């Protein structure tokens, strides 16, 4: 019965913005296991994420790291919001002080989750934005 329920879930499109391979590998595995179906786009820095969105990438969720080369997650979030995109954006960072969360929210993110991403954290994010 659980398999049938998983098949009924819709496919969600997620953009993962992360420069470190270990975090991408973990997120891929968690997304594959947590959702009924995921189409995963990846960007290695904020500038690449903004380009993907600007070129018509439509996503149900954007997960973005804070500290990356070229463009950080805060600036990428600001630029994606400036494009008029209302997709939920969740900031991720190894730094988990309240100031880190506040900086993401001020940049336009909808939520913040400290790394490492876990099954529980991902399930909370998906539930919060009605994606699970």
């Amino acid at each position: 019965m659980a398999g049938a329920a998983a098949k009924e879930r819709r496919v969600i499109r997620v953009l993962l913005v992360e420069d470190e391979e270990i975090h991408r590998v973990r997120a891929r595995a968690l997304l594959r296991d947590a959702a009924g179906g995921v189409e995963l786009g990846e960007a290695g820095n904020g500038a690449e994420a903004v380009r993907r969105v600007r070129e018509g990438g439509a996503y149900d969720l954007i997960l973005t790291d804070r500290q990356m080369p070229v463009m950080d997650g805060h600036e990428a979030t600001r630029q994606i919001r400036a494009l008029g995109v209302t997709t939920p954006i969740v900031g991720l960072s190894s730094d988990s002080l309240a100031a880190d969360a506040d900086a993401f929210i001020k940049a336009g993110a909808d939520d913040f989750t400290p790394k490492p991403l876990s099954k529980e954290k991902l399930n909370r994010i998906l539930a919060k934005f009605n994606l699970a």
Side-chain angles (χ1 to χ4, degrees):
M1 189 66 102
K7 289 180 184 175
E8 293 173 12
R9 294 187 196 169
R10 67 184 179 99
V11 173
I12 60 171
R13 296 194 66 212
V14 177
L15 177 60
L16 175 64
V17 189
E18 173 62 65
D19 63 318
E20 293 190 32
E21 180 65 19
I22 187 71
H23 294 298
R24 287 195 307 268
V25 168
R26 177 139 179 91
R28 280 184 212 126
L30 290 168
L31 284 161
R32 184 175 51 244
D33 292 345
V38 173
E39 288 181 26
L40 183 62
E42 295 183 29
N45 62 63
E48 186 180 337
V50 172
R51 180 187 53 78
R52 284 174 145 268
V53 172
R54 185 179 289 126
E55 291 176 354
Y59 300 97
D60 299 303
L61 177 66
I62 298 172
L63 299 172
T64 183
D65 186 24
R66 179 183 63 88
Q67 188 173 339
M68 297 176 286
V70 185
M71 181 187 292
D72 70 17
H74 297 155
E75 183 59 26
T77 298
R78 281 190 283 275
Q79 290 192 25
I80 289 169
R81 290 296 187 228
L83 295 171
V85 174
T86 60
T87 298
I89 298 175
V90 177
L92 305 170
S93 179
S94 297
D95 301 321
S96 58
L97 300 172
D100 299 313
D102 290 344
F104 255 117
I105 300 305
K106 286 178 183 171
D110 298 284
D111 201 358
F112 172 85
T113 298
K115 288 182 184 177
L117 192 59
S118 66
K119 180 179 181 180
E120 294 75 21
K121 290 174 185 176
L122 181 60
N123 286 339
R124 182 190 61 78
I125 291 165
L126 295 174
K128 179 175 182 171
F129 298 108
N130 298 315
L131 298 172

